[in-house]
């Protein structure tokens, strides 16, 4: 029996219960409900995925219509799911990593007031994300798309008493709105061109030539605008660093492992469309590559541990888009999966550090933590090795898959950018490791006394994710090492056809592996030189070109530019309409109605003199008039 | 004979009510009203309603007015309390009262001018009893509930609360 | 025999006097008595205007009215008593808290 449609049920139900009854439930019950529901969803996912593997080759995968939702003339949108290999991979990542992070959260958020509220939002997020990846049409996908956006907003602003958190939530929501407008327009273009919002219909239209190239390009670019918003690509990347105001497990789940990869998933899901429109694919690849380098350079100089990871996430998402853009959709998804493991591992380890250091975020006030937090250190180191692309760790394989696809596709410039990004990635990650975990202790004394390793509810997920981050790459071993080794690509083949086998020859494969390895090594070595061998060097560099350092520290001032060019004029204009229209006209009308009512009330109240006789007089008058009316 | 009695009772009741209005002390007013109610009972008797007449004298003139006098004694009402002058309201009330009277007269003018109708024979008390316990049984029972409620309500109202 | 209209006229006069009494007097007990006058006037009118055929029914209704009046008197007097206890006054003009 196909149980895939049951996957979102448990988290959705649990979210519903927690929203309605959360306040009155005990923490124990909330914990069990929240984690249990995701565990149920994970088991269903696993069962469905195994079933799918057993029945491999039975294409096409039918969409299962659960409910007829909108039917108007020719247009129809159903609540329908399609469980194909791509959805299976996403669902496994969402529920698997989600489960670990739920468990981690029970330790991390144990002392929070809004415990039930937190888990309600987290469950709702899981539910929405599952809808997003399981949907078989754009309309339902958009529901999930907006649902995860809402949960992201709720969770970034979880500590809404903190103005920065509330503001960051709003920023994330507003920036995503811009992308979503494009996404919605893209859906509409496809609806007009194809007449259906079903993915399969779009694929058929593309393969059957029923859609013009220009229309396809327009739709693909508009959809990609939505992806840049959700997946924090340039120019809509500005919300993700601020989103770190949310609780760290949220950053790990939503802003690293799952939600931000929704854009990549969407592009991979629409691979036929993007493959059809070369322009759109080129734009995707270019934006991805540029973002990968751009965000990595910013991460070089940041001092906030979570901001470094946030810029790193933006950069890694850029890699995924680069992979999709050069036609290696499977590689993009591969990197998505490994990234979900190692980046959530890094975030959770960072959360463990914060937990130990009473909420300290600045790596300049850390140092020497490897002796105090051995378990966290090990986990963080494994995550770093993975993201830096050190051979045999997961990130190495996925990044190599993307870079070699770029190289083999003839995109030398994009490949070079990716390589540069790899060097930068290794550098900033090992800088982080050296500053936070090595060297002398720079913690303040009162913090130092309270350093402790996290509870097992937090360390166990760290251990599991460490294993995954280390070994997940083995599902995508390059062809040169074994013809049948590329498990993931073969699993995804029914959805993501390998259009051209970019066989660069085994010698150039080895060349690529070597360059990627040396790029990682170079970054590692430079970080070692800068932060271990000669610790004075970074300051000298900063002094040497202060302008560059400042620009990087300020993230190229993109926020400031947006503030000046977009936000301020908009706020000014709204202020004007607010004063003129809202205050003057609408409030005037409303207040006027209120004043009139109050005046009438005062008039009527003056009849209520409190004197019995006056009331009796009224009674008498009424009787007289009534009688007169009857008589006349 | 009946005509004489009618005039006597009418004049006495109207005169007593006038005296009640003019008397300065509430207790005097109450006593005047006893007289008025008693002569009203006489009028009831003239209307061939002897049972109602007796009830009127015993319950109204007797029980209710005695209850009233008891309450007056408890509250020790003072005679001739000077109050605020509200001449306009008073004038309006009197005008309206006269108007109402005129209207009632207008409504019943045919009756006033009508020749004397034959007043039926005195109704036997047994007939009333039969009606009460047959046709009007439920209203009758419900009235008992009403009295019960009034009783309990009055006691609850007047009861002094602890410490009050 | 006396015409029913005459009885009715007496009832009307008594009713008008009751209304006047209510407005002329200032103390609650006497105003209460004024209400009783109006009630009795109504009773008289009821009896006077009853059709001969339903005279017994009319008398029964008057009995009901007297009963209800008794109940009303009990509660009304209790209220007057409570008001006096609280405010040491039975002047209706003093009771003006329920003012708009």
């Amino acid at each position: 029996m196909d149980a895939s449609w049951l996957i979102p049920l448990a988290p959705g139900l649990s979210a519903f219960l927690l929203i309605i009854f959360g306040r009155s439930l005990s923490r124990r019950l909330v914990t069990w409900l929240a984690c249990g529901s995701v565990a149920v969803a994970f088991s269903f996912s696993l069962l469905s995925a195994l079933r799918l593997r057993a029945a491999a080759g039975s294409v096409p995968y039918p969409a299962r219509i659960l409910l007829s939702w909108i039917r108007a003339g020719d247009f129809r949108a159903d609540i329908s799911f399609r469980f194909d290999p791509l959805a299976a991979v996403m669902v496994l990542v969402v529920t698997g990593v989600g489960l670990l992070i739920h468990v981690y959260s029970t330790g991390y958020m144990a002392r929070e007031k809004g415990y039930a509220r937190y888990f309600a939002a987290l469950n709702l997020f899981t539910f929405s994300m599952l809808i997003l990846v399981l949907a078989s049409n754009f309309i339902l996908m958009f529901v999930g798309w907006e649902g995860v956006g809402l949960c992201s907003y709720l969770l970034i602003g979880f500590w809404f008493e903190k103005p920065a958190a509330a503001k960051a939530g709003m920023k994330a929501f507003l920036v995503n709105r811009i992308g979503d407008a494009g996404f919605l327009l893209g859906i509409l273009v496809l609806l007009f061109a194809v007449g259906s919002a079903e993915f399969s219909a779009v694929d058929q239209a593309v393969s059957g030539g029923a859609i013009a190239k220009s229309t396809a390009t327009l739709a693909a670019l508009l959809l990609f605008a939505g992806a840049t918003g959700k997946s924090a690509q340039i120019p809509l990347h500005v919300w993700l660093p601020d989103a770190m105001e949310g609780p760290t497990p949220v950053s790990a789940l939503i802003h690293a492992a799952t939600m931000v990869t929704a854009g990549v998933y969407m592009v991979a899901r629409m691979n036929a469309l993007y493959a059809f429109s070369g322009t759109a694919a080129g734009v995707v690849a270019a934006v991805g590559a540029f973002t990968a380098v751009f965000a990595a350079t910013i991460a070089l100089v940041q001092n906030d541990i979570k901001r470094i990871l946030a810029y790193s996430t933006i950069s890694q998402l850029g890699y995924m888009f680069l992979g999709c853009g050069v036609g290696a959709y499977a590689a993009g998804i591969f990197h998505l999966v490994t990234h979900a493991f190692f980046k959530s591992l890094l975030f959770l380890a960072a959360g463990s550090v914060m937990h130990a250091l009473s909420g300290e975020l600045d790596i300049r006030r850390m140092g020497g933590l490897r002796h105090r937090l051995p378990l966290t250190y090990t986990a963080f180191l494994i995550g770093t090795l993975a993201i830096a692309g050190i051979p045999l760790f997961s990130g190495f394989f996925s990044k190599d898959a993307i870079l070699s696809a770029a190289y083999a596709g003839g995109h030398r410039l994009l490949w070079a950018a990716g390589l540069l990004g790899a060097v930068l990635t290794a550098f900033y990650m090992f800088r982080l490791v050296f500053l936070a975990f090595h060297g002398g202790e720079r913690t303040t004394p009162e913090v130092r006394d309270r350093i402790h390793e996290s509870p097992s509810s937090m360390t166990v997920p760290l251990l599991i994710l460490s294993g995954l981050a280390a070994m997940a790459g083995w599902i995508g071993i390059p062809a040169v090492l074994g013809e049948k080794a590329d498990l993931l690509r073969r699993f995804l083949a029914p959805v993501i056809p390998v259009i051209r086998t970019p066989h660069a020859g085994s010698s150039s494969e080895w060349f690529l592996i070597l360059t990627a390895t040396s790029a990682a090594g170079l970054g590692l070595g430079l970080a070692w030189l800068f932060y271990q061998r000669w610790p004075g060097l970074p300051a000298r560099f900063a002094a040497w070109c202060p302008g560059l350092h400042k620009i990087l520290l300020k993230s190229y001032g993109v926020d400031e530019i947006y503030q000046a060019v977009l936000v301020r004029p908009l706020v000014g204009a709204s202020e004007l309409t607010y004063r003129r229209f809202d205050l003057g006209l609408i409030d005037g009308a409303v207040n006027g109605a209120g004043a009139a009512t109050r005046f009438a009330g005062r008039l009527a109240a003056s009849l209520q003199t409190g004197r019995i006789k006056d009331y009796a007089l009224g009674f008498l008058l009424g009787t007289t008039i009534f009688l007169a009316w009857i008589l006349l | 004979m009946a005509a004489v009695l009618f005039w006597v009772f009418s004049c006495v009741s109207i005169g007593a009510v006038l005296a009640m209005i003019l008397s300065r002390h509430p207790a005097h007013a109450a006593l005047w009203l006893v007289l008025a109610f008693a002569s009203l009972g006489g009028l009831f008797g003239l209307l061939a309603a002897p049972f109602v007449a007796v009830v009127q004298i015993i319950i109204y003139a007797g029980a209710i007015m005695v209850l009233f006098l008891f309450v007056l004694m408890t509250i020790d009402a003072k005679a001739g309390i000077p109050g605020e002058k509200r001449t306009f309201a008073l004038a309006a009330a009197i005008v309206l009262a006269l108007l109402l009277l005129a209207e009632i007269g207008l409504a019943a003018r045919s009756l006033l001018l009508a020749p004397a109708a034959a007043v039926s024979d005195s109704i036997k008390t047994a007939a009333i009893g039969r009606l009460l316990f047959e046709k009007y049984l439920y209203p009758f029972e419900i009235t008992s509930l009403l009295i019960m409620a009034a009783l309990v309500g009055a006691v609850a109202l007047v009861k002094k609360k602890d410490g009050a | 025999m006396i015409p029913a209209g005459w009885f009715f006229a007496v009832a009307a006069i008594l009713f008008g006097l009751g209304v006047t009494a209510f407005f002329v007097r200032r103390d609650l007990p006497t105003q209460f008595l004024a209400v009783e006058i109006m009630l009795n006037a109504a009773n008289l009118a009821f009896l006077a205007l009853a059709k001969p055929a339903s005279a017994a029914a009319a008398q029964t209704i008057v009995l009901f009215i007297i009963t209800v009046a008794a109940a009303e008197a009990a509660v009304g007097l209790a209220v007057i008593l409570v008001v006096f206890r609280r405010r040491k006054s039975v002047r209706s003009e003093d009771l003006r808290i329920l003012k708009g």
Side-chain angles (χ1 to χ4, degrees):
Chain A
M1 199 203 78
D2 181 16
S4 59
W5 62 279
L6 285 171
I7 296 169
L9 203 65
L13 205 65
S14 165
F16 178 76
L17 288 176
L18 287 177
I19 288 169
I20 307 278
F21 304 110
R23 278 165 182 277
S24 51
L25 297 180
S26 72
R27 283 186 176 227
R28 254 183 105 78
L29 198 60
V30 171
T31 305
W32 280 105
L33 203 58
C35 297
S37 66
V38 181
V40 168
F42 180 60
S43 354
F44 273 126
S45 316
L46 214 53
L47 281 175
S48 306
L50 287 175
R51 197 181 153 278
L52 200 69
R53 229 185 135 203
S58 65
V59 272
Y61 301 89
R64 188 192 176 100
I65 298 175
L66 296 178
L67 265 176
S68 178
W69 180 22
I70 304 170
R71 281 192 189 186
D74 293 338
F75 172 74
R76 55 178 293 178
D78 296 314
I79 300 194
S80 62
F81 292 159
R82 194 168 65 164
F83 194 74
D84 58 8
L86 180 57
V89 169
M90 291 303 291
V91 161
L92 279 175
V93 169
V94 171
T95 54
V97 175
L99 176 59
L100 291 173
I101 289 170
H102 270 76
V103 173
Y104 179 93
S105 297
T106 61
Y108 191 83
M109 305 296 285
R111 272 182 252 288
E112 282 302 325
K113 261 205 317 255
Y115 193 70
R117 177 163 61 91
Y118 172 82
F119 277 107
L122 213 55
N123 269 349
L124 188 63
F125 168 78
T126 312
F127 172 72
S128 311
M129 191 70 203
L130 289 171
I131 297 280
L132 196 163
V133 297
L134 282 171
S136 79
N137 59 46
F138 268 117
I139 312 286
L140 187 59
M141 185 196 209
F142 190 69
V143 172
W145 189 272
E146 292 297 312
V148 292
L150 167 71
C151 296
S152 160
Y153 163 76
L154 290 175
L155 286 166
I156 294 170
F158 179 73
W159 289 305
F160 56 83
E161 313 90 349
K162 229 168 65 180
K167 238 177 150 169
M170 197 141 78
K171 184 169 170 186
F173 206 69
L174 288 177
V175 173
N176 267 299
R177 256 322 42 75
I178 300 170
D180 291 350
F183 190 62
L184 207 53
L185 285 175
I187 295 176
L188 288 177
V189 169
L190 279 181
L191 261 180
F192 278 115
V194 180
S196 167
E198 288 289 323
F199 296 141
S200 52
V202 176
D203 286 352
Q204 269 167 22
V206 170
S207 60
I211 184 168
K213 198 150 208 155
S214 54
T215 319
T217 304
L218 180 64
L221 285 176
L222 284 170
L223 289 175
F224 183 61
T228 56
K230 192 106 323 196
S231 296
Q233 294 299 291
I234 288 172
L236 298 179
H237 65 286
V238 289
W239 64 271
L240 191 59
D242 287 16
M244 296 299 125
E245 289 292 342
T248 310
V250 168
S251 311
L253 178 63
I254 301 184
H255 305 121
T258 52
M259 184 190 84
V260 288
T261 63
V264 181
Y265 163 76
M266 194 274 297
V267 172
R269 169 62 78 200
M270 286 290 105
N271 62 72
L273 186 70
Y274 283 92
F276 180 56
S277 164
T279 321
V283 168
V284 172
V287 168
F290 183 56
T291 308
V293 177
F294 176 84
T297 53
I298 298 173
L300 293 177
V301 296
Q302 298 296 316
N303 291 316
D304 181 317
I305 185 168
K306 285 185 75 180
R307 280 185 99 84
I308 297 175
L309 292 176
Y311 280 112
S312 161
T313 304
I314 298 175
S315 163
Q316 298 300 310
L317 288 163
Y319 270 107
M320 296 174 210
F321 280 114
L322 170 61
C324 291
V326 299
Y329 299 99
I333 294 295
F334 184 24
H335 197 54
L336 188 161
V337 173
T338 57
H339 176 257
F341 293 145
F342 60 66
K343 186 52 67 63
S344 55
L345 171 64
L346 286 169
F347 265 116
L348 294 187
S352 179
V353 170
M354 287 167 63
H355 191 77
L357 298 187
S358 319
E360 182 58 65
L361 281 166
D362 196 329
I363 51 174
R364 286 169 299 190
R365 286 196 291 273
M366 293 182 185
L369 292 175
R370 73 187 142 138
H371 303 300
R372 312 295 293 268
L373 307 166
L375 217 60
T376 306
Y377 170 63
T378 314
F380 201 91
L381 189 63
I382 291 174
T384 305
L385 291 170
I387 191 175
I390 305 298
L392 297 184
F393 288 91
S394 59
F396 167 75
F397 294 104
S398 53
K399 214 179 279 180
D400 178 62
I402 291 172
L403 289 179
S404 57
Y407 185 85
H411 311 284
R412 297 293 147 90
L413 198 61
L414 296 176
W415 171 74
L419 212 58
L420 175 61
V423 177
L424 296 172
T425 305
F427 180 82
Y428 68 69
M429 282 313 299
F430 278 102
R431 165 180 180 262
L432 180 52
V433 170
F434 289 142
L435 281 178
F437 292 96
H438 290 256
E441 294 194 27
R442 295 182 301 277
T443 41
T444 49
E446 63 263 28
V447 168
R448 198 173 306 165
D449 293 341
R450 280 184 290 163
I451 293 182
H452 58 281
E453 192 57 277
S454 302
S456 57
S457 59
M458 289 163 68
T459 50
V460 168
L462 281 181
L463 286 177
I464 299 174
L465 279 172
S466 300
L468 287 169
M471 294 181 288
W474 301 347
I475 58 170
I477 294 169
V480 70
L481 292 175
E483 208 42 59
K484 295 249 173 198
D486 205 347
L487 290 174
L488 186 72
R489 193 184 340 211
R490 285 193 296 132
F491 182 61
L492 287 175
V495 191
I496 300 171
V498 183
I499 295 167
R500 44 176 177 195
T501 12
H503 229 50
S506 79
S507 63
S508 61
E509 279 275 0
W510 283 111
F511 160 71
L512 287 167
I513 291 174
L514 208 65
T515 46
T517 312
S518 43
L522 181 63
L524 200 172
L526 280 175
W528 182 76
L529 281 179
F530 269 64
Y531 295 98
Q532 284 291 95
R533 191 73 184 81
W534 297 299
L537 213 50
R540 290 244 296 279
F541 253 95
W544 179 54
C545 46
L548 182 66
H549 184 256
K550 208 171 163 193
I551 285 177
L552 288 181
L553 209 55
K554 287 255 170 205
S555 321
Y556 294 103
V558 177
D559 267 330
E560 283 74 12
I561 294 170
Y562 285 176
Q563 189 72 26
V565 177
L566 291 174
V567 177
R568 219 161 283 148
L570 266 177
V571 169
S574 345
E575 185 78 9
L576 200 70
T577 48
Y578 162 68
R579 276 190 202 293
R580 285 282 148 80
F581 187 71
D582 275 57
L583 282 190
L585 207 66
I586 296 181
D587 282 18
V590 172
N591 288 343
T597 312
R598 197 180 310 166
F599 176 72
R602 199 164 291 154
L603 215 63
S606 65
L607 290 176
Q608 302 280 321
T609 56
R611 285 191 188 87
I612 301 171
K613 277 184 188 172
D614 291 354
Y615 300 150
L617 198 61
F619 190 11
L620 186 60
L621 184 68
T623 316
T624 319
I625 292 170
F626 180 65
L627 214 60
W629 185 59
I630 288 181
L631 288 173
L632 299 177
Chain B
M1 178 62 188
V4 175
L5 282 177
F6 171 78
W7 285 112
V8 170
F9 286 142
S10 304
C11 291
V12 169
S13 59
I14 292 170
V17 167
L18 274 172
M20 176 225 124
I21 295 174
L22 296 173
S23 66
R24 298 180 69 85
H25 197 284
H28 296 167
L31 287 171
W32 279 119
L33 214 59
V34 172
L35 183 59
F37 286 166
S39 46
L40 259 175
L43 285 176
F44 290 175
L46 284 178
L47 279 165
F51 182 65
V52 179
V54 172
V55 166
Q56 166 81 4
I57 289 169
I58 294 179
I59 304 230
Y60 241 122
I64 296 182
M65 294 316 291
V66 168
L67 181 67
F68 187 82
L69 282 169
F70 271 139
V71 171
L72 275 187
M73 278 178 236
T74 336
I75 64 179
D76 184 28
K78 301 215 168 36
I81 335 154
E84 49 183 326
K85 283 260 185 280
R86 288 169 54 79
T87 334
F88 173 76
L90 190 62
I94 289 170
V95 167
L96 280 175
L98 287 174
L99 210 62
L100 188 66
L101 210 60
E103 280 176 348
I104 294 171
L106 194 67
R109 63 184 183 282
S110 56
L111 267 175
L112 290 171
L113 304 173
V119 173
S120 55
D121 290 333
S122 194
I123 298 294
K124 289 218 170 58
T125 308
I128 296 175
R130 190 152 288 135
L131 266 178
L132 268 183
F133 287 102
E134 282 169 4
K135 191 174 178 188
Y136 298 116
L137 180 63
Y138 290 123
F140 182 71
E141 294 297 339
I142 291 167
T143 319
S144 72
L145 281 181
L146 178 73
I147 292 176
M148 185 60 143
L151 195 71
V152 173
V155 170
L157 271 174
V158 176
K159 203 184 114 187
K160 279 189 176 152
K161 288 172 191 74
D162 294 330
Chain C
M1 290 307 286
I2 310 140
W6 293 15
F7 285 99
F8 183 77
V10 175
I13 291 168
L14 283 178
F15 190 84
L17 284 175
V19 172
T20 317
F22 185 87
F23 284 100
V24 171
R25 301 299 301 236
R26 292 201 178 87
D27 51 329
L28 279 178
T30 319
Q31 284 180 310
F32 182 75
L33 286 179
V35 175
E36 298 290 335
I37 295 170
M38 289 184 250
L39 260 174
N40 271 284
N43 273 350
L44 182 59
F46 218 105
L47 286 175
L49 299 183
K51 286 187 185 128
S54 53
Q59 293 183 18
T60 316
I61 299 297
V62 170
L63 278 179
F64 278 130
I65 294 177
I66 291 177
T67 320
V68 172
E72 173 246 330
V75 177
L77 287 171
V79 169
I80 290 176
L81 210 57
V82 172
V83 166
F84 177 74
R85 261 195 219 143
R86 287 270 162 86
R87 324 219 42 192
K88 299 290 164 221
S89 160
V90 286
R91 287 189 347 180
S92 62
E93 284 147 3
D94 290 344
L95 309 174
R96 293 184 54 187
I97 310 174
L98 286 176
K99 190 167 76 173

